[in-house]
Amino acid sequence: MTIELTDIKLNYVTIAEARQMSGLRVVLGAYPIPGPWRESCKGILYVKGLSYTPAKSANAGASDLAIGMHDTQSELIEWSGQGSAPVITWNDERPRASWIDQLNLAERLQPNPPLVPANTEDRLRMFGLANELLGEHGLVWDKRLLMVDGPLKTLAANDPQRGFFEFLGQKYGYTPAAAEQAALHIIDIVNTFAEQITRQRAAGRRYLIGDRLTALDIYWAACCAILDPMPPARCPMADAFRDGPYGNSDPRIDKALIPALREHRDFIYDTHLEMPVVF
């Protein structure tokens, strides 16, 4: 699968260079795809006004780097103990590879604006819903299973693109049965978010939790791209992904993705996040 890098605008350093630096460094992976974990991390830092040095593996081609094929993430594994971006490091502290650790670090480094609710009930609901998006076997994880389902069922064994999908499927535990279960789980998650935003709007509230922006709004905006990417002018991305792994062809998921959820994504980007999406 070929990915062009013409839209990349961030000034990346290598992981080796980042390890020698101080301050805030973020391994993002330099590829023009709005990966939900990547864009969630970037969104939190953007709202916080936290500057950082973006880093990428030095030995990777774009399509390999996107999923870590061909040992392209060996540097990242050596540094962080795992091979998936994004990873945040602050000074000489341990690298943080999970979304929840990254959010907690950002809250500590820049408490304002707060993105975690002070109210305990709101905080519990925010973290629970965020985990449904970004956690293991959450929406993004399960969408990866759907990404590989069609290609692995249709591509010939000698097709040069098959290795990409086999690697991705192995990474996320693909089986045909797991893909069908993943679709049902995504529908359930999206329905839960539809119910949440419907309740909030009925109460006259503009955000998903409480009456102000939280991390959950940023996470939803970033994760919605994997089901319904914004137009190229707002989110330039590799055509191979816009027309393939991203988006949605399941009418059941499309029904759950009510207009209010798409509108909320657009509102959060227009009001709080960087536009267009920068790679």
Side-chain angles (χ1 to χ4, degrees), residues 230-252:
M230 291 185 293
R234 293 169 63 81
C235 181
M237 63 184 288
D239 289 341
F241 273 74
R242 180 181 294 278
D243 299 334
Y246 277 51
N248 168 60
S249 60
D250 189 325
R252 301 170 299 173

Side-chain angles (χ1 to χ4, degrees), residues 47 113-116 207 209 211-218 268 272:
V47 168
L115 293 176
V116 175
Y207 296 95
I209 298 287
D211 57 5
R212 60 174 299 163
L213 180 76
T214 70
L216 187 64
D217 298 294
I218 298 170
I268 296 302
H272 299 285

Side-chain angles (χ1 to χ4, degrees), residues 18-38:
R19 293 184 72 170
Q20 300 302 313
M21 297 176 175
S22 59
L24 195 62
R25 294 93 80 205
V26 185
V27 181
L28 291 171
Y31 49 94
I33 307 165
W37 284 296
R38 164 197 168 103

Side-chain angles (χ1 to χ4, degrees), residues 125-144:
R125 186 155 189 80
M126 190 206 82
F127 276 109
L129 288 171
N131 191 64
E132 291 298 299
L133 294 176
L134 296 170
E136 189 166 334
H137 298 294
L139 183 146
V140 179
W141 182 290
D142 283 348
K143 184 59 166 69
R144 295 290 173 91

Side-chain angles (χ1 to χ4, degrees), residues 75-203:
E75 291 178 299
L76 182 58
I77 293 169
E78 181 186 352
W79 192 15
S80 69
Q82 56 84 57
S84 295
V87 174
I88 295 182
T89 301
W90 169 248
N91 289 336
D92 59 354
E93 295 183 9
R94 63 180 175 85
R96 289 165 167 84
S98 73
W99 64 269
I100 193 167
D101 285 348
Q102 292 163 3
L103 174 59
N104 286 331
L105 175 62
E107 287 283 285
R108 171 163 64 87
L109 295 180
Q110 178 51 270
N112 292 308
L115 293 176
V116 175
N119 176 274
T120 300
E121 186 172 333
D122 286 346
R123 187 167 63 252
L124 289 171
R125 186 155 189 80
M126 190 206 82
F127 276 109
L129 288 171
N131 191 64
E132 291 298 299
L133 294 176
L134 296 170
E136 189 166 334
H137 298 294
L139 183 146
V140 179
W141 182 290
D142 283 348
K143 184 59 166 69
R144 295 290 173 91
L145 298 179
L146 299 187
M147 283 181 179
V148 303
D149 187 48
L152 289 184
K153 287 177 177 176
T154 58
L155 291 176
N158 61 350
D159 191 300
Q161 295 191 57
R162 189 173 178 87
F164 175 92
F165 293 104
E166 286 179 341
F167 183 93
L168 197 62
Q170 183 178 31
K171 184 175 181 179
Y172 291 96
Y174 168 79
T175 65
E180 177 55 30
Q181 187 59 41
L184 297 176
H185 192 210
I186 289 172
I187 293 165
D188 183 59
I189 292 169
V190 176
N191 277 331
T192 298
F193 272 81
E195 292 166 3
Q196 179 70 13
I197 199 166
T198 298
R199 283 193 298 268
Q200 286 289 96
R201 287 193 170 189

